[in-house]
Amino acid sequence: MIRIEQIDREQALRYMSYKGGAISDTALTELEECERKLLETIRPVCVYRVFKINGFFPLTLENGLVLEGKDLSEHLEGCGYAALFAATVGADVDMLIRRLQITDMAKSVMTDALASAAAEQAADLAEEEIRKSLPGKFFTWRYSPGYGDLPLTVQPKLLNVLNAGKTAGIVLQKENMMSPMKSVTAVIGISEDPVEKKRMGCAECRSFEGCSLRRKGLHCGFQKTT
């Protein structure tokens, strides 16, 4: 069971392409109102499983699961195990955003951005649970479908292995997009020894070419070194 008691507003503002400066009192009041409603609505859930890595290039797990893409294999090279996880803030959030799109478009945009930030927080909490369950181990940062050359077409494999439809209520819609929309799947490498720190940045993101944040000189929370 994971809980989110406060949403990362700074991250949400980045998703809204907000660039510095003081936010107006009116906008802040609306943002706070949207956050309160969202916190009443979200139902964060995460599920994960850990598998031994049997081979690289392509990455092959002990259960026979093969994850295509050279980048993921390189990212997990040196790791003996991989944790697969899915996290979501729940289907009620999708319904809330759709209702606001009809009644108040400005608040729907704010709520959508806040929900995206909350989904990343849910993923962070999922990572935290995995790390706590494996004391003394070392971990890579999470690598999601769409990063590098890991295609979105692996989503069905990840969700099936995690039985995510039953355990977390996450299913696939058209073009391998998840429902609830504010959901995250990822792979984390697990090692007995310290892993090389690598930069996670725009070049690895599936939205690199069309990213409005990048064009404005901003970035989202994916850029980090771990």
Side-chain angles (χ1 to χ4, degrees), residues 75-80 131 137-141 188-198 226:
H75 183 62
L76 269 62
E77 196 167 11
C79 295
R131 291 170 185 265
K137 306 299 184 184
F138 298 88
F139 304 85
T140 68
W141 48 259
I188 301 172
I190 304 168
S191 174
E192 297 289 339
D193 303 303
V195 295
E196 178 186 356
K197 292 185 177 182
K198 299 177 182 178
T226 61

Side-chain angles (χ1 to χ4, degrees), residues 176-190:
N176 293 307
M177 302 305 292
M178 290 182 287
S179 177
M181 294 186 297
K182 305 305 180 180
S183 302
V184 176
T185 57
V187 182
I188 301 172
I190 304 168

